[in-house]
Amino acid sequence: MSPAGAGDVCAVVLAAGEGTRLRPLTERLPKALCPVGNVTLLDRALARLAGLGLAGPDRVAVNACYLAGQVVAHVGDRAHLSVEPGDPLGTAGGVANLRDWIAGRPVLVGNADAYLADPAAAPGPDIAALLAGWDGHEVRLLGQPAADPSAPGTFDGHAFTGFSLLPWRLVQDLPPGFGDLVRAVWRPAEADGALTVVPFPGTFYDTGTPADYLAANLHAAGGNLVDPAATVTGRSRDSVVGAGATVRGEVVRSVVWPGASVAADERLYEVIRAGDDLTVPAARSSARI
């Protein structure tokens, strides 16, 4: 199966999580709406699916729970929305909750917080190998060779990089309620010899920590990225400055969120600034390239 002939495949973007490791940033925005290179993670995921020919509420669904109102407003009519009441249902529960919408189709499942970049291919074509030649039976995961191939959480020596392809026969049997795809689908398929890892040749960050979130931003910027609607009267070097932000001081290897400000007497280094009052430092990241 090629991307051009993806047939009845639909896609689900998982955007319901609380993003606890990114707190206090995610006390203001759900993780899926945090900007990377001045584009929200969720918009990056939707653009990647559109690059595969998957777009619109008939082909793409987004789940939401934590700060769901923000996600719903941001998505609008671009995708089918599944709002989970109470606590997030997890990766398997989120897909199971969409069973009626999926309605017999295979599902390409993507994590909204996955930052992927391949210099050799545009978003969409960069993960097309997940669909190419698929037999409709096996589970496929996008992955990269792990530093420790035998570490827990790896699959065939690979670390998961944000996207998986699931046949309907496995989706239809997912139990309702909270659950994760690792235990409910991936490991059983692996034990049955029905799981294949498709290598991703580019750069991946899961953006779950301040360090990896900063690193993804710096990678997306490729140097210094200042939105045209930002005001920089100070200095910005190797940083990302969002729309409506004001930088009067100095920012180096940092992210300044849209609408945030940096005072003239401030020098920020390897931090994320949100608003006028929140500065989150970042430690070493864990890039997979």
Side-chain angles (χ1 to χ4, degrees):
M1 178 179 292
S2 67
D8 60 351
V9 171
C10 62
V12 172
V13 180
L14 299 173
E18 295 184 29
T20 55
R21 294 177 298 160
L22 268 184
R23 287 178 179 165
L25 292 170
T26 46
E27 292 174 358
R28 303 191 177 199
L29 284 178
K31 182 164 59 171
L33 299 189
C34 290
V36 170
N38 287 335
V39 179
T40 71
L41 284 161
L42 181 53
D43 285 340
R44 288 181 176 275
L46 292 174
R48 177 162 278 107
L49 294 174
L52 288 170
L54 299 172
D58 293 333
R59 301 296 300 277
V60 178
V62 175
N63 75 336
C65 185
Y66 175 70
L67 298 179
Q70 293 188 40
V71 175
V72 169
H74 188 82
V75 172
D77 61 0
R78 292 183 293 163
H80 177 82
L81 284 154
S82 172
V83 179
E84 299 169 5
D87 295 327
L89 293 171
T91 55
V95 174
N97 200 47
L98 279 157
R99 195 175 359 246
D100 290 346
W101 175 83
I102 295 167
R105 296 176 290 181
V107 188
L108 178 62
V109 181
N111 294 344
D113 60 0
Y115 171 81
L116 299 164
D118 183 351
D126 60 352
I127 65 167
L130 267 178
L131 294 169
W134 187 51
D135 63 5
H137 179 82
E138 67 180 5
V139 172
R140 285 188 171 182
L141 304 183
L142 196 68
Q144 292 185 328
D148 179 359
S150 63
T154 59
F155 296 84
D156 191 26
H158 290 72
F160 175 61
T161 56
F163 282 82
S164 63
L165 183 60
L166 312 179
W168 167 250
R169 65 181 177 82
L170 298 180
V171 171
Q172 68 178 342
D173 292 332
L174 287 173
F178 179 84
D180 67 81
L181 288 173
V182 175
R183 295 177 180 85
V185 177
W186 300 350
R187 290 303 183 195
E190 182 182 44
D192 291 341
L195 182 144
T196 297
V197 178
V198 176
F200 177 69
T203 297
F204 165 75
Y205 294 95
D206 75 359
T207 71
T209 66
D212 284 341
Y213 175 70
L214 172 62
N217 268 277
L218 299 184
H219 186 275
N224 197 58
L225 178 61
V226 178
D227 189 278
T231 300
V232 179
T233 57
R235 185 184 184 195
S236 173
R237 179 161 58 89
D238 296 329
S239 295
V240 177
V241 182
T246 301
V247 177
R248 295 187 172 87
E250 182 179 16
V251 293
V252 179
R253 292 181 55 82
S254 295
V255 178
V256 182
W257 272 14
S261 63
V262 179
D265 60 350
E266 288 186 292
R267 182 181 187 273
L268 305 185
Y269 178 74
E270 293 194 347
V271 302
I272 301 100
R273 166 60 59 86
D276 302 329
D277 56 346
L278 178 59
T279 304
V280 177
R284 181 174 298 180
S285 67
S286 54
R288 287 198 282 271
I289 301 174

